[in-house]
Amino acid sequence: MAEFIKLYNENPDPRKIAQIVQVLRKGGLVIYPTDTVYGLGCDISNTKALEKIARIKGIKLAKANWSFICADLSNLSDYVKQIDSPTFKLLKRALPGPYTFILPGNNNLPKEFKKKKTVGIRIPDNNIARALVLALGNPIVSTSIKDDDDILEYTTDPELILEKWDNLVDVVIDGGYGDNVPSTVIDVSDGDYVVVREGKGATNII
């Protein structure tokens, strides 16, 4: 049974954030709000938690293309090769915001992602998501929670999310209704800027 924890985006309760971070540190899975759709995440440094998400998604961990949720751009150099000035300015302009940027990964990527040449970096414009990352002290690996419904691809109601995911995760955060449009994905890994997926967020930022 997952814990259902209410948090307010304007001012997330630090005690509840600390409680959720303890779950993440122990290898727990958490569903949390972003500035787009709700995400399923775990501690980037916990192999067992990463494997759990891979099993849920029905993929091999080595083939997973998940985003790293960061609190700000200061985490960038931990996982990303040095980027040029125009790319950095683009990131500063767009983030925090509803974008995922695919960037060239460096040698410090967690061992589960060592073979990957690129990494998706996401800094949501959502205080709950960023507070979790700040309190945890490192990024959360994240994937969107897709729905089986052909009409509505992403569930937006936290109570319905709890109903569906109750036995699969440890915590579902109620941060209010989510969006049903995912982030815009922009590949900037090789110098060109390519929109891989148009989602929430204007593509004219590039």
Side-chain angles (χ1 to χ4, degrees), residues 65-87:
N65 289 315
W66 299 330
S67 302
F68 290 10
I69 303 289
C70 302
D72 53 45
L73 288 171
S74 65
N75 286 124
L76 214 56
S77 59
D78 295 342
Y79 306 104
V80 173
K81 286 181 182 174
Q82 192 165 1
I83 54 176
D84 60 28
S85 181
T87 302

Side-chain angles (χ1 to χ4, degrees), residues 56-69:
I56 288 170
K57 300 292 277 190
I59 55 172
K60 290 186 177 175
L61 183 53
K63 296 195 171 178
N65 289 315
W66 299 330
S67 302
F68 290 10
I69 303 289

Side-chain angles (χ1 to χ4, degrees), residues 68 76-83 102-109 113-121 189:
F68 290 10
L76 214 56
S77 59
D78 295 342
Y79 306 104
V80 173
K81 286 181 182 174
Q82 192 165 1
I83 54 176
I102 298 173
L103 293 153
N106 65 19
N107 295 327
N108 298 328
L109 287 173
F113 303 100
K114 281 286 187 198
K115 292 181 181 175
K116 293 206 165 292
K117 292 181 178 164
T118 59
V119 60
I121 297 289
S189 61

